[in-house]
Amino acid sequence: MDTDNTPALDPRRWIAFAVVLAAGFMDLLDVTIVNVAVPSIQKDLGAAYSQIEWIIAAYVLSFAAVLITGGRLGDIYGRKRLFLFGMAGFTAASLACGLASSPTLLIGSRFAQGAMAGLMVPQILAIIRVTFPKDERAKAIAVYSGVGGSASAVGLALGGLLVQWNLFDLGWRPIFLVNVPVGVIALAAATMVMRDSRSAHAPRLDIVGMVLAVSAVLLLVYPLTEGRRLDWPAWTFAMIGASALVFVAFGVYERWRGRTAGSPLIDLDLFRSRPFTVGLASWLLFWIGFGGFFLTWTLFMQAGLGWSPMRAGLTSVFFAVGAGIGAGVSVSALAPRFGKWVLLAGGLVTAGGFALYGALATRYESDFASWQMVFPLLVTGIGFGIVVAPTIDMLLGQIPDREAGAASGLLNTGQQLGMALGVALVGILFFAQLDHDSARGVDSVATHTHTELAAAGVPGPAQEQILANFRACVRDRSAEVDPSVVPASCQSAPTANPAIGQTLTRAGEQANAVNFAHTFQHTLLWGVGLMALVCLGFLALPRDTRLEPHEAETEEEELVGI
């Protein structure tokens, strides 16, 4: 085995790049593809809403927990070897998800799927760095960033199509099973065309640091996920406090290990770079905002407006189009010319898209059509792409190449942890507001409902009683932890006049849409506030911050002819 800092160009490098690109796309796809299938999964498996939240969050939590360790394993045992192992495990876990017969099995399979992605994904940027010369590396990272920028929204669209098509009468299951043939093909291709490499001075695993990091994340997110369903018992707040203490202990231990045994899980010296520290914090806040957005957006379209998974999924394509446009323009033209101001502009455009989307939701309410969502989704997607694509280059560009593995692990961890926190935090905010504002929908339909009941021959006193019962039904439905549950107050005795039932059904659908529209706007305003914090973070970056990798010291790599 030869050590060479400038290896001969591999003629199959672009084929290998296509393989890792497919792997990265599959990972980001699976972060959001579940969201659009939530009602179908819930109905088929009889899952409680808290279980649905865990089906979504389990993937990103285990992914975030394993990412940095996965990068270290690649340095030690070889990036190709870990990539193949992670891809094989991801494919097997996807099969287990598709065959799951209960919510518990699906949650467990999602944990396994995320953990395998955590082994696979950290190798991608390392493989790109080792495989490509400097003049081609920027192009490869730009393409990877652009694809990644739109994969989350493509997941919503593809999920909607697969659920609606009901392939082979499998319902929601093809959203996971589709990974199996893709994974098998990628494994075969990677085995033949991918070149292996490992660090010439491989660090040792930091087992204690890994345990502390995983514990801190779970102590924080578990009570946020379960608290609302259990009415916030004391132990939820105790766990949140304990998570802060464990995070502090993790930092102290990593500093001590760096001074003594060496090879900490996270090299805290990375945070001496102000652009890296500020940029990573802004990146985390950005993904908290989008984790919440993806959850409430799909709830609004399906549980609020009553759209089918296919309609919701196809509508989301416009976000993906905007993300692709934003990513392409920012990397190729804007970032090299305007530097950090591009990131600031992307945050402002995203905030504007959120605000516009929320305003249109409250204007059109139950009449909100797909075509009316096109412009706000394009704006939001463009802002998303402008931020996501160059941020990877910006963060990695602040450090020498020898630290790129640890930095990319932190970057991916921030993204996945942000998504998980966004789902948990915005879930709390969204349903609390839906409960608090439930009377709005009833008030919006009361006059018309009175008129229709009178036309059906219902006397005045009976109309008031029907509307009182209707108000109680809407209030109780809004207060439910699980939006699909039908409260007892909504299960009225059948009436001799079918027109009354039809009137109340239509009124209930419209009132529900009105409540969801205004709650959606409320949570989007929270997202606008988060984007404002993200913009402040980007504004705090030094004026000369570069958004592309600089010529830095190159880590010595050991190339393995496999």
Side-chain angles (χ1 to χ4, degrees), residues 189 274 289:
R274 178 181 158 196

Side-chain angles (χ1 to χ4, degrees), residues 343-355 376 378-384 386 535:
L343 301 178
L344 182 65
L348 291 174
V349 171
T350 302
F354 282 171
L378 282 173
V379 172
T380 305
I382 288 172
F384 176 89
I386 290 175
C535 289

Side-chain angles (χ1 to χ4, degrees), residues 65-85:
V66 176
L67 270 168
I68 299 174
T69 302
R72 287 284 192 251
L73 289 171
D75 290 337
I76 296 171
Y77 298 109
R79 281 106 188 205
K80 176 180 178 179
R81 183 173 300 176
L82 261 292
F83 180 85
L84 293 175
F85 182 83

Side-chain angles (χ1 to χ4, degrees), residues 161-249:
L161 288 172
L162 290 174
V163 171
Q164 190 72 23
W165 286 338
N166 191 20
L167 298 174
F168 307 107
D169 201 31
L170 292 174
W172 52 271
R173 299 178 187 276
I175 68 173
F176 298 113
L177 298 177
V178 70
N179 288 333
V180 176
V182 176
V184 170
I185 294 171
L187 273 170
T191 302
M192 293 185 290
V193 304
M194 189 174 289
R195 195 173 187 179
D196 201 7
S197 67
R198 60 173 65 99
S199 175
H201 306 287
R204 291 163 293 177
L205 279 181
D206 177 8
I207 302 297
V208 175
M210 182 179 68
V211 171
L212 287 173
V214 172
S215 300
V217 171
L218 292 179
L219 282 169
L220 176 61
V221 177
Y222 182 79
L224 290 176
T225 302
E226 294 288 282
R228 188 177 69 88
R229 181 176 68 87
L230 301 174
D231 198 25
W232 297 104
W235 63 262
T236 58
F237 298 101
M239 286 185 71
I240 292 172
S243 73
L245 295 177
V246 177
F247 272 119
V248 171

Side-chain angles (χ1 to χ4, degrees), residues 291-301 426-427 430 520 523-524:
F293 170 71
F294 288 135
L295 173 67
T296 57
W297 176 27
T298 52
L299 282 172
F300 172 53
M301 288 190 292
V426 175
F430 185 88
F520 183 53
T523 52
L524 282 180

